Amino acid sequence: MQTFTNTCDGRAVSSATSFESRNPATGEVLGRVPNSSAEEVARAVAAAKAAQPAWAARPDAERKDLLMQVADVLKANAEYLATWVTREQGKPLGGIGPDQVPGSRFELWGCEVWTRVPASLDLPVELAFEDETRRDEVHRRPCGVVAAITPWNWPLLIAIWKIIPSLRVGNTVVLKPSEYTSIGTLEMVRLIAEILPPGVLNTVSGGGEVGGWLVDDPRVDKISFTGSSTTGARIAATAARHLTPTTMELGGNDAAIVLPDADPKAIAMGLFWGAFLNMGQTCACAKRLYVPDALHDAVVAELKALAEAMPMGDGMQPGTVMGPIQNRMQFDKVRRLVDEARAAGATIVCGGTPPGGPGHFYPVTLVTDIRDGASLVDEEQFGPVLPIVRYREVEEAIAAANRLDTGLGASVWGSDVEAARAVATRIQAGTVWINQHGAIHPMVPFGGVKGSGWGLEFGIDGLKAVTRPQVISVKKA
């Protein structure tokens, strides 16, 4: 069985101990992952620190060109890496077109796009003020060493979101992937690091303690984390000791509000994938749906028909649309939340009972006759389950959407776009979509508010997030 390696200072690095990575659809052991020691983490940070001045000093055009070469490598190896995503994370291979299942091939297409776009962007000098006595300019400088910690749901794409903007502006990176989905990420970094100077991009791997050692290293100049609010709070506390700036994309419990003028049939497919993309294992999926009484039964019927028509199975098999939950811990959480809702009197419209057999499969589940305050509504389920809550007045739905301490995304669905926009402006979330949900774009800033984190990724704002501003103030003669 192959034991994979980390990348440090341009070299493949093994560790004294390792752990298994398993296929969530079959239970098959896929390989072994190095369990980085504290000393190996320190060496990775040291390599990044040593490489950073020369990388930042390279002409801007050279860094852009190298990152475009990275995009070429991602494109050339897309099928190989997509296969690893499916085997290790569980999402189907799918495709990349508008009529294709948004699976692992879509993730690798996203990796290429989210490399080419930041690589093409510039951060020009900003003129803050000028008169006859002075000129004040805002320049953007790299932070230094960026520690990036990524989750298991979109393992390669979220890694790219952190790697490429950081490198584009002259930082170096130490990346720690999730212990549940390490192999694909390590292989991606191995391939793209061949294009880059040694030490510019490094990895460490293992459990939470490895991430803890990484963020606690005083040589780290910026921390970028995507994951749970609980882990984010621990990282923020560690960062505070060193006054290390952070960008945190934490958990979401996105509300979707259907307005009374919506057409259930017209919005059903968008709602379905807004909730169940990647089996609901996406931070910005719709996690709770608010529907007016008059449309409730029609919306539920449309969603039920879609849910029951989606084939579930091993993502490597042709025709698979829905895969497994990635790990047992998350599977058990989803099952607990549905069981609690059922015991409290909620109606399980479809799904609700795992099929048994190998793999962490849980059917797409719709739950009605449930209210705010139920654990399935108030906790982020992060799985293929959607609670559907009735409301009478739009004001009730707005208050319900805002009542929790999360605010990553939300959506409003209706025929009158201006009426939907008026509702959207009152939702406390970093992004509010209208007649779509989770529609991110590499040029559009993305981030949360309240307990869903702080800071922005993507586009110009994402580049600025991994820089520090420096004002050059010139006195005129």
Side-chain angles (χ1 to χ4, degrees), residues 334-477:
V334 168
R335 181 167 60 180
R336 171 182 64 81
L337 290 172
V338 174
D339 289 348
E340 288 177 1
R342 180 189 287 115
T347 298
I348 310 301
V349 175
C350 61
T353 303
H360 306 314
F361 289 101
Y362 199 96
V364 176
T365 301
L366 302 175
V367 181
T368 60
D369 299 318
I370 192 168
R371 297 182 179 183
D372 285 352
S375 56
L376 179 58
V377 178
D378 286 13
E379 294 185 38
E380 182 186 19
Q381 68 273 43
F382 214 72
V385 179
L386 182 64
I388 303 171
V389 183
R390 293 177 182 264
Y391 74 84
R392 289 170 296 179
E393 302 292 337
V394 173
E395 291 297 322
E396 295 176 26
I398 295 171
N402 291 336
R403 59 182 281 273
L404 300 178
D405 186 32
T406 55
L408 187 58
S411 59
V412 182
W413 303 74
S415 298
D416 184 337
V417 172
E418 289 309 310
R421 185 192 299 271
V423 173
T425 61
R426 299 175 60 193
I427 305 297
Q428 298 166 2
T431 300
V432 184
W433 293 278
I434 295 175
N435 293 326
Q436 57 184 354
H437 197 111
I440 58 174
H441 188 281
M443 280 301 295
V444 179
F446 180 73
V449 298
K450 300 197 291 188
S452 291
W454 53 85
L456 293 169
E457 297 180 289
F458 308 167
I460 295 296
D461 291 283
L463 289 184
K464 288 181 177 180
V466 284
T467 66
R468 55 179 178 82
Q470 182 186 44
V471 173
I472 303 295
S473 184
V474 180
K475 181 181 179 181
K476 293 183 176 181

Side-chain angles (χ1 to χ4, degrees), residues 222-255:
K222 170 81 182 191
I223 298 167
S224 182
F225 171 74
T226 298
S228 72
S229 299
T230 301
T231 302
R234 290 199 296 268
I235 291 173
T238 299
R241 292 204 301 269
H242 301 296
L243 300 180
T244 308
T246 59
T247 294
M248 295 284 186
E249 197 263 83
L250 307 178
N253 195 348
D254 289 14

Side-chain angles (χ1 to χ4, degrees), residues 52 56 123 126 138-145 169 171 221-222 245 462-472:
Q52 195 273 326
L123 282 179
E126 300 171 26
V138 181
H139 296 249
R140 290 283 168 176
R141 311 299 186 198
C143 295
V145 175
V169 298
N171 299 297
D221 301 294
K222 170 81 182 191
L463 289 184
K464 288 181 177 180
V466 284
T467 66
R468 55 179 178 82
Q470 182 186 44
V471 173
I472 303 295

Side-chain angles (χ1 to χ4, degrees), residues 70-141:
V70 166
D72 293 339
V73 169
L74 290 169
K75 183 176 183 179
N77 292 277
E79 191 68 11
Y80 170 71
L81 294 172
T83 299
W84 269 116
V85 172
T86 293
R87 295 178 68 201
E88 197 173 31
Q89 195 278 333
K91 62 171 64 75
L93 278 171
I96 60 173
D99 299 322
Q100 299 292 315
V101 178
S104 297
R105 291 187 178 113
F106 173 84
E107 180 163 352
L108 264 296
W109 172 79
C111 288
E112 181 192 350
V113 170
W114 259 271
T115 298
R116 294 197 191 279
V117 170
S120 69
L121 298 179
D122 295 305
L123 282 179
V125 174
E126 300 171 26
L127 179 62
F129 179 78
E130 186 173 24
D131 65 7
E132 66 278 4
T133 67
R134 61 188 290 162
R135 178 183 173 89
D136 297 271
E137 304 167 346
V138 181
H139 296 249
R140 290 283 168 176
R141 311 299 186 198

Side-chain angles (χ1 to χ4, degrees), residues 64-337:
K64 294 173 77 169
D65 179 67
L66 284 170
L67 292 181
M68 287 298 186
Q69 292 181 48
V70 166
D72 293 339
V73 169
L74 290 169
K75 183 176 183 179
N77 292 277
E79 191 68 11
Y80 170 71
L81 294 172
T83 299
W84 269 116
V85 172
T86 293
R87 295 178 68 201
E88 197 173 31
Q89 195 278 333
K91 62 171 64 75
L93 278 171
I96 60 173
D99 299 322
Q100 299 292 315
V101 178
S104 297
R105 291 187 178 113
F106 173 84
E107 180 163 352
L108 264 296
W109 172 79
C111 288
E112 181 192 350
V113 170
W114 259 271
T115 298
R116 294 197 191 279
V117 170
S120 69
L121 298 179
D122 295 305
L123 282 179
V125 174
E126 300 171 26
L127 179 62
F129 179 78
E130 186 173 24
D131 65 7
E132 66 278 4
T133 67
R134 61 188 290 162
R135 178 183 173 89
D136 297 271
E137 304 167 346
V138 181
H139 296 249
R140 290 283 168 176
R141 311 299 186 198
C143 295
V145 175
V146 175
I149 300 179
T150 55
W152 48 259
N153 56 332
W154 294 88
L156 274 60
L157 183 56
I158 295 178
I160 287 293
W161 291 351
K162 300 183 184 304
I163 291 168
I164 301 303
S166 297
L167 299 187
R168 169 68 191 88
V169 298
N171 299 297
T172 53
V173 175
V174 181
L175 173 73
K176 190 264 178 198
S178 168
E179 60 269 37
Y180 292 115
T181 53
S182 299
I183 294 176
T185 310
L186 297 185
E187 284 294 276
M188 179 181 73
V189 170
R190 177 183 65 81
L191 290 166
I192 64 179
E194 294 175 0
I195 302 297
L196 302 169
V200 167
L201 177 58
N202 313 272
T203 59
V204 295
S205 53
E209 71 281 356
V210 175
W213 295 328
L214 177 59
V215 300
D216 200 24
D217 193 310
R219 296 169 295 180
V220 166
D221 301 294
K222 170 81 182 191
I223 298 167
S224 182
F225 171 74
T226 298
S228 72
S229 299
T230 301
T231 302
R234 290 199 296 268
I235 291 173
T238 299
R241 292 204 301 269
H242 301 296
L243 300 180
T244 308
T246 59
T247 294
M248 295 284 186
E249 197 263 83
L250 307 178
N253 195 348
D254 289 14
I257 299 175
V258 176
L259 296 181
D261 69 342
D263 178 349
K265 189 175 291 292
I267 67 173
M269 187 65 77
L271 274 177
F272 182 87
W273 286 115
F276 297 117
L277 176 69
N278 196 28
M279 286 293 283
Q281 299 169 118
T282 298
C283 297
C285 269
K287 307 285 183 15
R288 47 199 174 110
L289 177 60
Y290 295 93
V291 183
D293 281 330
L295 297 182
H296 178 273
D297 292 352
V299 169
V300 171
E302 294 289 343
L303 292 176
K304 180 176 184 287
L306 290 171
E308 293 180 338
M310 299 293 177
M312 177 179 289
D314 184 346
M316 293 298 296
Q317 300 303 314
T320 299
V321 174
M322 311 299 285
I325 294 175
Q326 199 285 322
N327 59 79
R328 188 71 194 189
M329 177 181 67
Q330 196 61 38
F331 176 91
D332 288 343
K333 178 180 181 180
V334 168
R335 181 167 60 180
R336 171 182 64 81
L337 290 172

